[in-house]
Amino acid sequence: MSGDAEVKLDLNIPASMRGCRTTLDALDHAGGGHRAQSILRSLLTIVTHGLHPRAQQDFFENFVFDPPSDDLPTQDQGDIHLSLEVDDDRVEAARGDLVDMACDGSEWIRAGGDGTAAAVFEVLCDILEEGLPVADQQPLLDANVEDARLAARLA
């Protein structure tokens, strides 16, 4: 991918992530460069606030470190549908950092006991790092979330 190419994100994030700041806090422990941090912080802010898909792209492209304004539409119930495109040039500049961030951030989150949040954090990093097609995104997230839930039941 290069030039006008983009990484399309289209997946349903578990509803338990609405209001969950753990993934945003993990960015402080995940390292990574400014570009990777910026991409992830904007995506995780969208998820945390449950922004409606029709507001996601604009919010992502104009992201500042403030929380979204109260007038943006949100998804108030059920899973959070994340659907937007990230310019491949932005992703390309962040690649490499995302692998380390996925490991460090998800490890920090797991240490706090939230396996679902760790799975979401790690999968978002993986999707961006690998440029996974939409068809592979939801199955990857579902498998990781199910593994986290199984691990929690066995603990």
Side-chain angles (χ1 to χ4, degrees):
M1 287 184 227
S2 64
D4 293 329
E6 51 211 7
V7 175
K8 171 95 173 111
L9 293 163
D10 192 9
L11 63 165
N12 293 312
I13 308 289
S16 63
M17 296 302 299
R18 186 178 290 102
C20 177
R21 293 202 40 86
T22 307
T23 53
L24 287 166
D25 294 342
L27 289 172
D28 296 333
H29 302 276
H34 172 73
R35 290 182 174 126
Q37 283 273 338
S38 176
I39 291 171
L40 286 174
R41 188 167 305 278
S42 57
L43 291 175
L44 295 170
T45 299
I46 289 169
V47 170
T48 299
H49 291 277
L51 291 184
H52 195 279
R54 67 177 184 262
Q56 291 175 5
Q57 191 71 46
D58 188 54
F59 179 83
F60 180 80
E61 290 173 3
N62 298 297
F63 179 72
V64 291
F65 288 95
D66 299 323
S69 68
D70 291 336
D71 63 341
L72 289 176
T74 59
Q75 302 171 64
D76 295 326
Q77 297 177 340
D79 288 346
I80 302 157
H81 187 103
L82 182 64
S83 180
L84 56 88
E85 297 169 348
V86 183
D87 181 70
D88 194 53
D89 291 337
R90 281 184 74 185
V91 175
E92 199 57 46
R95 285 200 171 113
D97 283 345
L98 292 164
V99 171
D100 293 334
M101 291 178 75
C103 293
D104 296 342
S106 62
E107 184 178 305
W108 183 85
I109 296 167
R110 270 189 206 90
D114 192 341
T116 298
V120 169
F121 187 94
E122 188 170 340
V123 167
L124 286 176
C125 290
D126 291 346
I127 289 169
L128 294 168
E129 178 68 32
E130 301 297 327
L132 289 179
V134 169
D136 296 339
Q137 294 174 13
Q138 193 68 52
L140 178 64
L141 178 63
D142 292 346
N144 277 267
V145 168
E146 186 56 35
D147 286 349
R149 291 178 178 157
L150 179 61
R153 284 193 298 266
L154 295 176

